[in-house]
Structures are given as structure tokens and as C-alpha cells.
């Protein structure tokens, strides 16, 4: 399964599975990593202007199956800075 924007993925956390929608995928030219930003389904921002909590992960796809996506926590300040810059750029384009 090639991960795409608007896909829904299940992420296990603390013994429970949570459904998220993919909002953005980043594959920076200066990095060998790929990044995804997801939001919980049911909390997707509507036109009411409220902020929605988003989560970012580094990811690797191992094939085309539904279980072939591996997510990793963002661990470095450099990765967080890059994600924040990419999100700011996307928000500027959408404004």
C-alpha cells in the first residue's frame, strides 16, 4: 500500500488502536527519510477555524500490504525543525 494523503491508518497506542487520517507526506530532498503528519479521525479541522492536534512520524513502507507501514517517533530537533518548516510552508500556500 503506497501511503497517500487522505488515507486512514490505525496506530496502536497504550494497548488501544486509534484511527488517523493522513494530512501531509514529506519526502525532503536532503534526507533519506519520509515523514507523515496525521490527525485523529473525527477531529479533522472543519471550516470553524479550530486547531486540531496533529502527530508527525518518520515512516518506512516495506511493501504493498496493509501491514507494511512502519512508523517511528521523531527523535531529533533537526527533524522537528524540518517538519515545522514544511507545515508552515504548506499553511502559507493554503491561506
Amino acid at each position: 500500500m503506497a501511503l497517500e494523503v487522505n488515507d486512514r491508518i490505525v496506530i496502536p497506542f497504550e494497548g488501544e488502536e486509534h484511527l488517523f487520517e493522513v494530512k501531509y507526506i514529506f519526502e525532503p530532498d536532503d534526507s533519506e527519510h519520509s515523514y507523515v503528519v496525521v490527525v485523529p479521525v473525527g477531529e479533522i479541522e472543519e471550516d470553524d477555524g479550530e486547531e486540531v492536534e496533529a502527530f508527525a512520524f518518520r515512516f518506512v513502507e516495506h511493501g504493498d500490504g496493509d501491514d507494511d507501514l512502519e512508523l517511528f517517533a521523531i527523535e531529533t530537533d533537526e527533524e522537528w525543525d524540518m517538519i515545522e518548516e514544511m507545515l508552515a510552508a504548506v499553511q502559507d500556500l493554503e491561506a
Side-chain angles (χ1 to χ4, degrees):
M1 153 185 140
L3 190 63
E4 297 181 10
V5 172
N6 297 325
D7 280 352
R8 291 187 172 194
I9 60 173
V10 174
I11 301 175
F13 181 71
E14 295 182 350
E16 294 185 28
E17 293 185 339
H18 301 272
L19 185 61
F20 290 85
E21 182 171 316
V22 175
K23 295 305 286 179
Y24 305 106
I25 297 171
F26 304 119
E27 296 176 351
D29 293 335
D30 59 346
S31 172
E32 70 263 10
H33 300 298
S34 298
Y35 300 90
V36 62
V37 176
V38 298
V39 295
V41 169
E43 296 182 26
I44 298 171
E45 184 176 338
E46 302 294 333
D47 290 331
D48 58 11
E50 287 186 37
E51 287 189 22
V52 175
E53 187 172 16
F55 301 88
F57 299 93
R58 182 170 43 89
F59 75 94
V60 175
E61 291 184 286
H62 297 289
D64 291 330
D66 288 341
D67 294 331
D68 293 338
L69 179 67
E70 192 172 3
L71 299 175
F72 301 92
I74 305 299
E75 297 178 347
T76 68
D77 289 339
E78 292 79 18
E79 285 179 304
W80 279 118
D81 291 344
M82 183 271 309
I83 290 169
E84 288 174 355
E85 288 175 21
M86 296 295 275
L87 286 173
V90 168
Q91 289 174 344
D92 286 346
L93 290 174
E94 291 178 348

Coordinates of all heavy atoms in Angstrom, one line a residue:
M1 N 0.8 -1.2 0.0 CA 0.0 0.0 0.0 C 0.9 1.2 0.0 O 1.6 1.5 0.9 CB -0.9 -0.1 1.3 CG -1.3 1.3 1.8 SD -2.2 1.1 3.3 CE -1.6 2.4 4.2
A2 N 0.9 2.0 -1.0 CA 1.6 3.2 -1.1 C 0.8 4.3 -0.3 O -0.4 4.5 -0.6 CB 1.8 3.7 -2.5
L3 N 1.4 4.8 0.7 CA 0.7 5.8 1.6 C 0.5 7.1 0.8 O 1.3 7.6 0.1 CB 1.6 6.1 2.8 CG 1.0 6.9 3.9 CD1 -0.2 6.1 4.6 CD2 2.0 7.2 5.0
E4 N -0.8 7.5 1.0 CA -1.2 8.8 0.3 C -2.0 9.7 1.2 O -2.5 9.2 2.2 CB -2.1 8.4 -0.9 CG -1.3 7.6 -2.0 CD -2.2 7.3 -3.2 OE1 -3.3 7.8 -3.3 OE2 -1.8 6.5 -4.0
V5 N -2.1 10.9 0.9 CA -2.8 11.9 1.6 C -4.3 11.4 1.6 O -4.8 10.9 0.6 CB -2.7 13.3 1.0 CG1 -3.7 14.3 1.7 CG2 -1.3 13.8 1.2
N6 N -5.0 11.6 2.7 CA -6.4 11.2 3.0 C -6.5 9.7 3.3 O -7.6 9.3 3.6 CB -7.3 11.6 1.9 CG -7.4 13.1 1.7 OD1 -7.3 13.9 2.7 ND2 -7.5 13.6 0.5
D7 N -5.5 8.9 3.2 CA -5.6 7.5 3.7 C -5.9 7.5 5.1 O -5.5 8.4 5.9 CB -4.2 6.8 3.4 CG -4.1 6.3 2.0 OD1 -5.0 6.5 1.2 OD2 -2.9 5.8 1.7
R8 N -6.5 6.5 5.6 CA -6.7 6.3 7.0 C -5.9 5.1 7.5 O -5.8 4.1 6.8 CB -8.2 6.0 7.3 CG -9.0 7.3 7.0 CD -10.4 7.1 7.4 NE -11.1 8.4 7.3 CZ -12.2 8.7 7.8 NH1 -12.9 7.8 8.5 NH2 -12.7 9.9 7.6
I9 N -5.2 5.3 8.6 CA -4.3 4.3 9.2 C -4.6 4.1 10.6 O -5.1 5.0 11.3 CB -2.8 4.6 9.0 CG1 -2.5 6.0 9.7 CG2 -2.5 4.7 7.5 CD1 -1.0 6.3 9.6
V10 N -4.4 2.9 11.1 CA -4.6 2.6 12.5 C -3.2 2.6 13.2 O -2.3 1.9 12.7 CB -5.3 1.2 12.7 CG1 -5.4 0.8 14.1 CG2 -6.7 1.2 12.0
I11 N -3.2 3.3 14.3 CA -1.9 3.4 15.1 C -2.2 2.9 16.5 O -3.1 3.4 17.2 CB -1.4 4.8 15.1 CG1 -1.1 5.3 13.7 CG2 -0.1 4.9 16.0 CD1 -0.7 6.8 13.6
P12 N -1.5 1.8 16.9 CA -1.7 1.3 18.3 C -1.0 2.2 19.3 O 0.1 2.7 19.0 CB -1.1 -0.1 18.3 CG -0.2 -0.1 17.1 CD -0.7 0.9 16.1
F13 N -1.7 2.5 20.4 CA -1.1 3.3 21.4 C -1.7 2.9 22.8 O -2.9 2.9 22.9 CB -1.4 4.8 21.2 CG -0.8 5.7 22.2 CD1 0.6 5.9 22.2 CD2 -1.6 6.4 23.1 CE1 1.2 6.8 23.2 CE2 -1.0 7.2 24.0 CZ 0.3 7.4 24.1
E14 N -0.8 2.6 23.7 CA -1.2 2.2 25.1 C -2.3 1.1 25.1 O -3.3 1.2 25.8 CB -1.6 3.4 25.9 CG -0.5 4.4 26.1 CD -0.9 5.5 27.0 OE1 -2.1 5.7 27.2 OE2 0.0 6.3 27.3
G15 N -2.1 0.1 24.2 CA -3.0 -1.1 24.2 C -4.3 -0.9 23.4 O -5.1 -1.8 23.3
E16 N -4.5 0.3 22.8 CA -5.7 0.6 22.1 C -5.3 1.0 20.6 O -4.2 1.5 20.4 CB -6.5 1.7 22.7 CG -7.1 1.4 24.0 CD -8.0 2.5 24.5 OE1 -8.6 3.2 23.7 OE2 -8.1 2.6 25.8
E17 N -6.2 0.7 19.7 CA -5.9 1.1 18.3 C -6.7 2.4 18.0 O -7.9 2.5 18.4 CB -6.3 0.0 17.3 CG -5.5 -1.2 17.5 CD -5.8 -2.3 16.4 OE1 -6.9 -2.2 15.9 OE2 -4.9 -3.1 16.2
H18 N -6.0 3.4 17.4 CA -6.6 4.7 17.1 C -6.6 4.9 15.6 O -5.6 4.6 14.9 CB -5.9 5.8 17.8 CG -5.9 5.6 19.3 ND1 -6.9 6.1 20.1 CD2 -5.0 5.0 20.1 CE1 -6.6 5.7 21.4 NE2 -5.5 5.1 21.4
L19 N -7.7 5.5 15.0 CA -7.8 5.7 13.6 C -7.3 7.1 13.3 O -7.8 8.1 13.9 CB -9.2 5.5 13.1 CG -9.5 5.5 11.6 CD1 -8.6 4.5 10.9 CD2 -10.9 5.4 11.4
F20 N -6.4 7.3 12.3 CA -5.9 8.6 11.9 C -6.1 8.8 10.4 O -6.1 7.8 9.7 CB -4.4 8.7 12.3 CG -4.2 8.8 13.8 CD1 -4.1 7.7 14.5 CD2 -4.0 10.1 14.4 CE1 -3.8 7.8 15.9 CE2 -3.8 10.2 15.7 CZ -3.7 9.0 16.5
E21 N -6.1 10.0 10.0 CA -6.2 10.4 8.6 C -4.8 11.1 8.2 O -4.4 11.9 9.0 CB -7.3 11.3 8.2 CG -7.4 11.6 6.8 CD -8.6 12.3 6.4 OE1 -9.7 11.9 6.8 OE2 -8.5 13.3 5.6
V22 N -4.3 10.7 7.1 CA -3.0 11.2 6.7 C -3.3 12.6 6.1 O -4.2 12.8 5.2 CB -2.3 10.4 5.6 CG1 -1.1 11.0 5.0 CG2 -2.0 9.0 6.2
K23 N -2.7 13.7 6.6 CA -2.9 15.0 6.1 C -1.7 15.5 5.2 O -2.0 16.1 4.2 CB -3.0 16.0 7.3 CG -4.2 15.8 8.1 CD -5.5 15.8 7.4 CE -5.9 17.2 6.9 NZ -7.2 17.2 6.1
Y24 N -0.5 15.1 5.5 CA 0.6 15.5 4.7 C 1.7 14.4 4.7 O 1.9 13.7 5.7 CB 1.3 16.8 5.3 CG 0.3 18.0 5.4 CD1 -0.1 18.3 6.7 CD2 -0.1 18.7 4.3 CE1 -1.0 19.4 6.9 CE2 -1.0 19.7 4.5 CZ -1.4 20.1 5.8 OH -2.3 21.1 5.9
I25 N 2.4 14.3 3.6 CA 3.5 13.4 3.5 C 4.7 14.3 2.9 O 4.5 15.0 2.0 CB 3.2 12.3 2.5 CG1 2.1 11.4 3.0 CG2 4.5 11.4 2.3 CD1 1.6 10.4 2.0
F26 N 5.8 14.2 3.6 CA 7.0 14.9 3.2 C 8.1 14.0 2.9 O 8.4 13.0 3.7 CB 7.5 15.8 4.4 CG 6.5 16.8 4.9 CD1 6.1 16.7 6.2 CD2 5.9 17.8 4.1 CE1 5.1 17.6 6.7 CE2 5.0 18.6 4.5 CZ 4.6 18.6 5.9
E27 N 8.8 14.2 1.8 CA 10.0 13.4 1.4 C 11.0 14.4 1.0 O 11.3 14.6 -0.2 CB 9.6 12.4 0.3 CG 8.6 11.4 0.7 CD 8.1 10.5 -0.4 OE1 8.5 10.7 -1.6 OE2 7.4 9.5 0.0
P28 N 11.7 15.0 2.0 CA 12.7 16.1 1.7 C 13.8 15.6 0.8 O 14.3 14.4 1.0 CB 13.2 16.5 3.1 CG 12.2 15.9 4.1 CD 11.6 14.7 3.4
D29 N 14.3 16.4 0.0 CA 15.4 16.1 -1.0 C 16.7 15.9 -0.2 O 17.5 15.1 -0.6 CB 15.6 17.2 -2.0 CG 14.4 17.4 -2.9 OD1 13.7 16.4 -3.1 OD2 14.2 18.5 -3.4
D30 N 16.9 16.6 0.9 CA 18.1 16.4 1.6 C 18.1 15.4 2.7 O 18.9 15.4 3.6 CB 18.5 17.8 2.2 CG 17.5 18.3 3.2 OD1 16.3 17.8 3.2 OD2 17.8 19.3 3.9
S31 N 17.1 14.5 2.7 CA 17.0 13.4 3.7 C 16.6 12.1 3.0 O 15.9 12.1 2.0 CB 16.0 13.8 4.7 OG 15.7 12.7 5.6
E32 N 17.1 11.0 3.6 CA 16.7 9.7 3.0 C 15.4 9.2 3.7 O 14.9 8.2 3.4 CB 17.8 8.6 3.2 CG 18.0 8.2 4.6 CD 19.2 8.9 5.3 OE1 19.7 9.9 4.8 OE2 19.5 8.5 6.4
H33 N 14.9 10.0 4.6 CA 13.7 9.6 5.3 C 12.4 10.2 4.7 O 12.5 11.3 4.1 CB 13.8 10.0 6.8 CG 14.9 9.4 7.5 ND1 15.1 8.1 7.7 CD2 16.0 10.0 8.1 CE1 16.2 7.9 8.4 NE2 16.8 9.0 8.6
S34 N 11.3 9.6 5.0 CA 10.0 10.1 4.7 C 9.2 10.4 5.9 O 9.4 9.7 7.0 CB 9.2 9.1 3.8 OG 9.9 8.8 2.6
Y35 N 8.3 11.4 5.9 CA 7.6 11.8 7.1 C 6.1 12.0 6.8 O 5.7 12.3 5.7 CB 8.1 13.2 7.6 CG 9.6 13.1 8.0 CD1 10.6 13.4 7.0 CD2 10.0 12.8 9.3 CE1 11.9 13.3 7.4 CE2 11.3 12.7 9.6 CZ 12.3 13.0 8.7 OH 13.6 12.9 9.0
V36 N 5.3 11.7 7.8 CA 3.9 11.8 7.6 C 3.3 12.6 8.8 O 3.8 12.4 9.9 CB 3.2 10.4 7.5 CG1 3.5 9.5 8.8 CG2 1.7 10.4 7.2
V37 N 2.3 13.4 8.5 CA 1.5 14.1 9.6 C 0.1 13.6 9.5 O -0.5 13.6 8.4 CB 1.6 15.6 9.3 CG1 0.7 16.3 10.4 CG2 3.0 16.1 9.4
V38 N -0.4 13.1 10.7 CA -1.7 12.6 10.7 C -2.5 13.3 11.8 O -2.0 13.9 12.7 CB -1.7 11.1 11.1 CG1 -0.9 10.3 10.0 CG2 -1.0 10.8 12.4
V39 N -3.9 13.2 11.6 CA -4.8 13.8 12.6 C -5.8 12.7 13.0 O -6.1 11.9 12.1 CB -5.5 15.0 12.2 CG1 -4.5 16.2 11.9 CG2 -6.3 14.8 10.9
P40 N -6.3 12.7 14.2 CA -7.3 11.7 14.6 C -8.6 11.8 13.8 O -9.0 13.0 13.6 CB -7.6 12.0 16.1 CG -6.4 12.8 16.6 CD -5.9 13.5 15.4
V41 N -9.1 10.8 13.3 CA -10.4 10.8 12.6 C -11.4 11.3 13.5 O -11.5 10.9 14.7 CB -10.7 9.4 12.0 CG1 -12.1 9.4 11.4 CG2 -9.7 9.1 10.9
G42 N -12.3 12.1 13.1 CA -13.3 12.7 13.9 C -12.9 14.0 14.5 O -13.8 14.8 15.0
E43 N -11.7 14.4 14.4 CA -11.2 15.7 14.9 C -10.6 16.5 13.8 O -9.9 17.5 14.0 CB -10.1 15.5 16.0 CG -10.7 14.8 17.2 CD -9.6 14.7 18.3 OE1 -8.7 15.5 18.3 OE2 -9.7 13.7 19.1
I44 N -10.9 16.1 12.5 CA -10.4 16.8 11.4 C -10.9 18.2 11.3 O -12.1 18.4 11.5 CB -10.6 16.1 10.1 CG1 -9.9 14.7 10.2 CG2 -10.2 16.8 8.9 CD1 -10.3 13.8 9.1
E45 N -10.1 19.2 11.1 CA -10.4 20.6 11.1 C -11.5 20.9 10.1 O -11.4 20.5 8.9 CB -9.2 21.5 10.8 CG -9.5 22.9 10.9 CD -8.3 23.8 10.7 OE1 -7.2 23.3 10.9 OE2 -8.4 24.9 10.3
E46 N -12.6 21.5 10.5 CA -13.6 21.9 9.6 C -13.4 23.4 9.3 O -12.4 24.0 9.7 CB -15.0 21.7 10.3 CG -15.3 20.2 10.6 CD -15.4 19.3 9.4 OE1 -15.7 19.8 8.3 OE2 -15.0 18.1 9.6
D47 N -14.4 24.1 8.8 CA -14.2 25.5 8.5 C -14.5 26.4 9.7 O -14.6 27.6 9.6 CB -15.2 25.9 7.3 CG -14.8 25.3 6.0 OD1 -13.6 25.1 5.8 OD2 -15.7 25.1 5.2
D48 N -14.5 25.8 10.9 CA -14.8 26.6 12.1 C -13.5 27.2 12.6 O -13.6 28.0 13.6 CB -15.4 25.8 13.2 CG -14.6 24.5 13.6 OD1 -13.5 24.4 13.2 OD2 -15.2 23.7 14.3
G49 N -12.4 26.9 12.0 CA -11.1 27.6 12.4 C -10.4 27.0 13.6 O -9.4 27.5 14.0
E50 N -11.0 26.0 14.3 CA -10.4 25.4 15.4 C -9.2 24.6 15.0 O -9.1 24.0 14.0 CB -11.4 24.5 16.2 CG -12.4 25.3 16.9 CD -13.3 24.3 17.8 OE1 -12.7 23.4 18.3 OE2 -14.5 24.6 17.8
E51 N -8.1 24.7 15.9 CA -6.9 23.9 15.7 C -7.2 22.4 16.1 O -7.9 22.2 17.0 CB -5.8 24.4 16.5 CG -5.2 25.7 15.9 CD -4.0 26.2 16.6 OE1 -3.3 25.3 17.2 OE2 -3.7 27.4 16.5
V52 N -6.5 21.6 15.3 CA -6.6 20.1 15.6 C -5.2 19.6 15.9 O -4.3 20.0 15.3 CB -7.2 19.4 14.3 CG1 -7.2 17.9 14.5 CG2 -8.6 19.9 14.0
E53 N -5.2 18.7 16.9 CA -3.9 18.2 17.3 C -3.4 17.2 16.2 O -4.1 16.4 15.7 CB -4.0 17.4 18.6 CG -2.6 17.0 19.1 CD -2.7 16.4 20.5 OE1 -3.8 16.1 21.0 OE2 -1.6 16.3 21.1
A54 N -2.2 17.5 15.7 CA -1.6 16.6 14.7 C -0.4 15.9 15.2 O 0.2 16.4 16.2 CB -1.2 17.5 13.5
F55 N -0.1 14.8 14.6 CA 1.0 13.9 15.1 C 1.9 13.7 13.9 O 1.4 13.4 12.8 CB 0.5 12.6 15.6 CG -0.4 12.8 16.8 CD1 -1.7 13.0 16.6 CD2 0.1 12.8 18.1 CE1 -2.6 13.1 17.7 CE2 -0.7 13.0 19.2 CZ -2.1 13.2 19.0
A56 N 3.2 13.7 14.1 CA 4.2 13.5 13.0 C 5.0 12.3 13.3 O 5.4 12.0 14.4 CB 5.1 14.7 12.8
F57 N 5.3 11.5 12.2 CA 6.2 10.3 12.3 C 7.1 10.3 11.1 O 6.8 10.7 10.0 CB 5.3 9.1 12.3 CG 4.3 9.0 13.4 CD1 3.0 9.4 13.3 CD2 4.7 8.4 14.7 CE1 2.1 9.3 14.3 CE2 3.8 8.3 15.7 CZ 2.5 8.8 15.5
R58 N 8.2 9.6 11.3 CA 9.1 9.2 10.2 C 8.5 7.8 9.8 O 8.1 7.1 10.7 CB 10.5 9.1 10.7 CG 11.5 8.7 9.6 CD 12.9 8.8 10.0 NE 13.2 8.3 11.3 CZ 13.6 7.1 11.6 NH1 13.6 6.2 10.7 NH2 13.8 6.7 12.9
F59 N 8.5 7.5 8.5 CA 7.9 6.2 8.2 C 8.7 5.5 7.1 O 9.4 6.1 6.3 CB 6.4 6.3 7.7 CG 6.2 6.9 6.4 CD1 6.0 6.1 5.3 CD2 6.1 8.3 6.2 CE1 5.8 6.7 4.0 CE2 5.9 8.9 5.0 CZ 5.7 8.0 3.9
V60 N 8.5 4.2 7.1 CA 9.1 3.3 6.0 C 8.0 2.4 5.5 O 7.3 1.8 6.4 CB 10.3 2.5 6.6 CG1 10.8 1.5 5.6 CG2 11.4 3.4 7.1
E61 N 7.9 2.3 4.2 CA 7.0 1.3 3.7 C 7.8 0.1 3.2 O 8.8 0.2 2.5 CB 6.2 1.9 2.5 CG 5.2 2.9 2.9 CD 4.4 3.5 1.8 OE1 5.0 4.2 1.0 OE2 3.3 3.1 1.7
H62 N 7.4 -1.1 3.6 CA 8.1 -2.3 3.3 C 7.5 -3.1 2.1 O 8.0 -4.2 1.8 CB 8.2 -3.2 4.5 CG 9.0 -2.6 5.6 ND1 10.4 -2.4 5.6 CD2 8.6 -2.1 6.8 CE1 10.8 -1.8 6.7 NE2 9.7 -1.6 7.4
G63 N 6.4 -2.7 1.6 CA 5.7 -3.4 0.5 C 4.4 -2.8 0.2 O 4.1 -1.6 0.6
D64 N 3.5 -3.6 -0.4 CA 2.2 -3.1 -0.8 C 1.0 -3.5 0.1 O -0.1 -3.2 -0.2 CB 1.9 -3.5 -2.2 CG 2.8 -2.7 -3.2 OD1 3.2 -1.6 -2.9 OD2 3.1 -3.3 -4.3
G65 N 1.3 -4.3 1.1 CA 0.2 -4.8 2.0 C -0.2 -3.7 3.0 O 0.5 -2.7 3.3
D66 N -1.4 -4.0 3.6 CA -1.9 -3.0 4.6 C -1.0 -2.9 5.9 O -1.0 -2.0 6.6 CB -3.3 -3.4 5.0 CG -4.3 -3.2 3.9 OD1 -4.0 -2.4 3.0 OD2 -5.4 -3.8 3.9
D67 N -0.3 -4.0 6.2 CA 0.6 -4.0 7.4 C 2.0 -3.7 7.1 O 2.9 -4.0 7.9 CB 0.4 -5.4 8.1 CG -1.0 -5.6 8.6 OD1 -1.6 -4.7 8.9 OD2 -1.4 -6.8 8.7
D68 N 2.3 -3.2 5.9 CA 3.7 -2.9 5.5 C 4.2 -1.5 5.8 O 5.2 -1.1 5.2 CB 3.9 -3.3 4.0 CG 3.7 -4.8 3.8 OD1 3.9 -5.6 4.7 OD2 3.4 -5.1 2.6
L69 N 3.5 -0.8 6.7 CA 3.9 0.5 7.0 C 4.5 0.5 8.5 O 3.9 0.0 9.4 CB 2.7 1.5 7.0 CG 2.9 2.9 7.4 CD1 3.8 3.6 6.4 CD2 1.6 3.6 7.5
E70 N 5.7 1.1 8.6 CA 6.3 1.1 9.9 C 6.5 2.6 10.3 O 7.1 3.4 9.5 CB 7.7 0.4 9.9 CG 8.3 0.1 11.2 CD 9.5 -0.8 11.1 OE1 9.9 -1.2 10.0 OE2 10.0 -1.1 12.2
L71 N 6.0 3.0 11.5 CA 6.1 4.4 11.9 C 7.2 4.5 13.0 O 7.4 3.5 13.8 CB 4.8 4.8 12.5 CG 3.6 4.9 11.6 CD1 2.4 5.2 12.3 CD2 3.9 5.8 10.4
F72 N 7.9 5.6 13.0 CA 9.0 5.8 14.0 C 8.8 7.2 14.6 O 8.4 8.2 13.9 CB 10.4 5.8 13.4 CG 10.7 4.5 12.7 CD1 10.4 4.3 11.4 CD2 11.2 3.4 13.5 CE1 10.7 3.1 10.8 CE2 11.5 2.2 12.9 CZ 11.2 2.0 11.5
A73 N 9.0 7.3 15.9 CA 8.9 8.6 16.6 C 10.0 9.6 16.0 O 11.1 9.2 15.7 CB 9.1 8.5 18.1
I74 N 9.6 10.9 16.0 CA 10.6 11.9 15.6 C 11.5 12.1 16.8 O 11.0 12.4 17.9 CB 9.9 13.2 15.2 CG1 8.8 13.0 14.1 CG2 10.9 14.3 14.9 CD1 9.4 12.5 12.8
E75 N 12.8 12.0 16.6 CA 13.7 12.0 17.7 C 14.7 13.1 17.8 O 15.2 13.4 18.9 CB 14.5 10.7 17.7 CG 13.7 9.4 17.9 CD 14.4 8.1 17.8 OE1 15.6 8.2 17.4 OE2 13.9 7.1 18.2
T76 N 14.9 13.8 16.7 CA 15.9 14.9 16.8 C 15.2 16.3 16.6 O 14.2 16.4 16.0 CB 17.0 14.7 15.7 OG1 16.4 14.9 14.4 CG2 17.6 13.3 15.8
D77 N 15.9 17.3 17.1 CA 15.4 18.6 17.0 C 15.5 19.0 15.5 O 14.6 19.8 15.0 CB 16.3 19.6 17.8 CG 16.0 19.5 19.3 OD1 15.0 19.0 19.7 OD2 16.9 19.9 20.0
E78 N 16.4 18.5 14.7 CA 16.6 18.8 13.3 C 15.3 18.3 12.6 O 14.8 19.0 11.7 CB 17.8 18.2 12.7 CG 19.1 18.9 13.2 CD 19.5 18.4 14.6 OE1 19.1 17.3 15.1 OE2 20.3 19.1 15.3
E79 N 14.9 17.1 12.9 CA 13.7 16.6 12.2 C 12.5 17.4 12.6 O 11.6 17.7 11.7 CB 13.4 15.1 12.7 CG 14.4 14.1 12.0 CD 14.1 12.7 12.4 OE1 14.1 12.4 13.7 OE2 13.9 11.9 11.6
W80 N 12.3 17.8 13.9 CA 11.2 18.6 14.3 C 11.2 19.9 13.6 O 10.2 20.4 13.1 CB 11.1 18.8 15.8 CG 10.5 17.7 16.5 CD1 11.2 16.9 17.4 CD2 9.2 17.2 16.4 NE1 10.3 15.9 17.9 CE2 9.1 16.1 17.3 CE3 8.1 17.5 15.7 CZ2 7.9 15.3 17.4 CZ3 6.9 16.8 15.8 CH2 6.8 15.7 16.7
D81 N 12.4 20.6 13.5 CA 12.5 21.8 12.8 C 12.1 21.7 11.3 O 11.4 22.6 10.8 CB 13.9 22.4 12.9 CG 14.3 22.8 14.3 OD1 13.4 23.0 15.2 OD2 15.5 22.9 14.6
M82 N 12.5 20.7 10.7 CA 12.2 20.5 9.3 C 10.7 20.3 9.1 O 10.1 20.9 8.2 CB 13.0 19.3 8.7 CG 12.7 19.0 7.2 SD 11.3 17.9 6.8 CE 11.6 16.5 7.9
I83 N 10.1 19.5 10.0 CA 8.6 19.3 9.9 C 7.9 20.6 10.1 O 6.9 20.9 9.4 CB 8.2 18.2 10.9 CG1 8.7 16.8 10.4 CG2 6.7 18.2 11.0 CD1 8.6 15.7 11.4
E84 N 8.3 21.4 11.1 CA 7.6 22.6 11.4 C 7.8 23.6 10.2 O 6.8 24.3 9.8 CB 8.2 23.3 12.6 CG 7.8 22.5 13.9 CD 8.5 23.1 15.2 OE1 9.4 23.9 15.1 OE2 8.1 22.6 16.2
E85 N 8.9 23.6 9.6 CA 9.1 24.5 8.4 C 8.2 24.0 7.2 O 7.6 24.9 6.5 CB 10.6 24.4 8.0 CG 11.5 25.2 8.9 CD 13.0 25.0 8.5 OE1 13.3 24.7 7.3 OE2 13.8 25.2 9.3
M86 N 8.1 22.7 7.0 CA 7.3 22.2 5.9 C 5.8 22.5 6.2 O 5.1 22.9 5.3 CB 7.5 20.7 5.8 CG 8.9 20.3 5.3 SD 9.4 20.9 3.7 CE 8.7 19.6 2.7
L87 N 5.4 22.3 7.4 CA 4.0 22.6 7.7 C 3.7 24.1 7.6 O 2.6 24.5 7.1 CB 3.6 22.2 9.2 CG 3.5 20.7 9.3 CD1 3.3 20.3 10.8 CD2 2.3 20.1 8.5
A88 N 4.6 25.0 8.0 CA 4.4 26.4 7.8 C 4.3 26.8 6.4 O 3.5 27.6 6.0 CB 5.6 27.2 8.5
A89 N 5.1 26.2 5.5 CA 5.1 26.4 4.1 C 3.8 26.0 3.5 O 3.2 26.7 2.7 CB 6.3 25.7 3.4
V90 N 3.3 24.8 3.9 CA 2.0 24.3 3.4 C 0.9 25.2 3.8 O 0.0 25.5 3.0 CB 1.8 22.8 3.9 CG1 0.4 22.4 3.6 CG2 2.8 21.9 3.2
Q91 N 0.9 25.6 5.1 CA -0.2 26.5 5.6 C -0.2 27.8 4.8 O -1.2 28.4 4.6 CB 0.0 26.7 7.1 CG -0.4 25.5 7.9 CD -0.1 25.6 9.3 OE1 0.6 26.5 9.8 NE2 -0.7 24.7 10.1
D92 N 1.0 28.4 4.5 CA 1.1 29.6 3.8 C 0.5 29.4 2.4 O -0.2 30.3 1.9 CB 2.6 30.1 3.6 CG 3.1 30.6 4.9 OD1 2.3 30.9 5.8 OD2 4.4 30.8 5.0
L93 N 0.7 28.3 1.7 CA 0.2 28.0 0.4 C -1.4 27.8 0.5 O -2.1 28.2 -0.5 CB 0.8 26.7 -0.2 CG 2.2 26.9 -0.6 CD1 2.8 25.5 -1.0 CD2 2.4 27.9 -1.7
E94 N -1.9 27.3 1.6 CA -3.3 27.1 1.7 C -4.0 28.3 2.1 O -5.3 28.4 2.0 CB -3.6 25.9 2.7 CG -3.1 24.6 2.2 CD -3.3 23.5 3.2 OE1 -3.6 23.8 4.4 OE2 -3.2 22.3 2.8
A95 N -3.3 29.3 2.6 CA -4.0 30.5 3.1 C -4.4 31.4 2.0 O -4.2 31.4 0.9 CB -3.1 31.3 4.1

